[in-house]
Amino acid sequence: MALEGADALTAIDAATGTVTTTLNGFSEPHNVQVAPDGKRVYAISGDAGTVAALDTATYELTASGPTGSAPAHVILTPDGTKTYVTNYGDGSVSVYRAGGLTPVKVIRTGGGPHGTRPTPDGRALVVANLKAEAVDTIDTRTDTRTVTIPVGGPPVQVAVSPDGRYAFASVSEPAAVVKIDLKTRKVTARTTVSAAPAQVYLTPDGRTLLSADQGSEDRPGTSVSLIDTATMTVTGRLTTGSGPHGLVVDPTGRRAWVTNVYDDTVSVLDLTARRTVATIKVGDEPNGISFTSRPPAAAPARLTMDLPSASAHPSDSGMPDDMPGM
């Protein structure tokens, strides 16, 4: 999990709900992603303009590479061969060979690309372009943008249905979640949620979409909306801490974890019983969160790493003032 305000990454034991290790020295981490094989975790540093890979067995840095301006999210293709980073500050997506994080291409999208996820077959990347108020799709075979779909507001993050037909995007203003038909390239439904949503995440069967309704620091949200993806209706809300932001659901679809940026906690949700079962105190401003079935590695409670700064964007790395904390 990324602790953006604490300049740290932290690991939580999902079985016990306890923080096991905190890795200090990773400046302004906004999002993290565990590799499909669970052997590495990838994170971006907004301050250093760097994407880094860590060994999940040792928490040691195994690779790093330069990003564009204000990197937001990092994601891997399902086969683990390529890594993508959205660069909110310069309207681009950086492409890397996953193992060594060797940069291979920069895709110019324009606007401010933020959240992103691949289709299950790995052939496309769906990108929430916050500044453009649209969702972009990228062909991962050619690494070119193929289509832009307006969504009627600034999208923060996306989720993709198991069959790859639909994408779902959280829209911060007006606060809503939209359903997008990727074949017809149109928004087919929209549902209002309780506060400006940050991340969204699907249960493995694709039937329920979770929306972290973050709100703002002045008017924070305190719940996750549960949305039926067939009817696009809210079927329930689960109570969280203040400002729910990051979301992940385990492979069984029974548990979810939500980061709460305004009270520095993580809420544990039982999706079968539809209730909040635990609250874990973490560190300052928890943002992105990812899940692996591997148990946490044995390590000291606190570690420190020396994250190298990238030199590709020395004058404009870091998060611009107009980038929302999403």
Side-chain angles (χ1 to χ4, degrees), residues 37-64:
D37 62 8
K39 295 180 180 179
R40 300 170 308 284
V41 60
Y42 292 77
I44 59 92
S45 167
D47 178 58
T50 298
V51 57
L54 306 176
D55 187 321
T56 55
T58 63
Y59 301 118
E60 293 181 354
L61 180 71
T62 61
S64 64

Side-chain angles (χ1 to χ4, degrees), residues 11 56 107 113 205 221 242 256 274 294 297 316:
T56 55
I107 306 165
D205 61 11
S242 179
R274 292 202 164 195
R294 293 179 174 227
D316 60 2

Side-chain angles (χ1 to χ4, degrees), residues 173-224:
E173 181 62 38
V177 173
V178 300
K179 182 177 184 178
I180 305 159
D181 188 322
L182 294 176
K183 185 175 181 179
T184 64
R185 302 175 178 179
K186 294 180 179 179
V187 172
T188 61
R190 179 183 302 266
T191 187
T192 300
V193 291
S194 61
Q199 294 195 22
V200 288
Y201 208 99
L202 280 166
T203 53
D205 61 11
R207 295 179 179 178
T208 302
L209 182 73
L210 281 69
S211 169
D213 300 343
Q214 177 177 322
S216 64
E217 192 165 6
D218 292 337
R219 300 184 66 183
T222 56
S223 66
V224 163

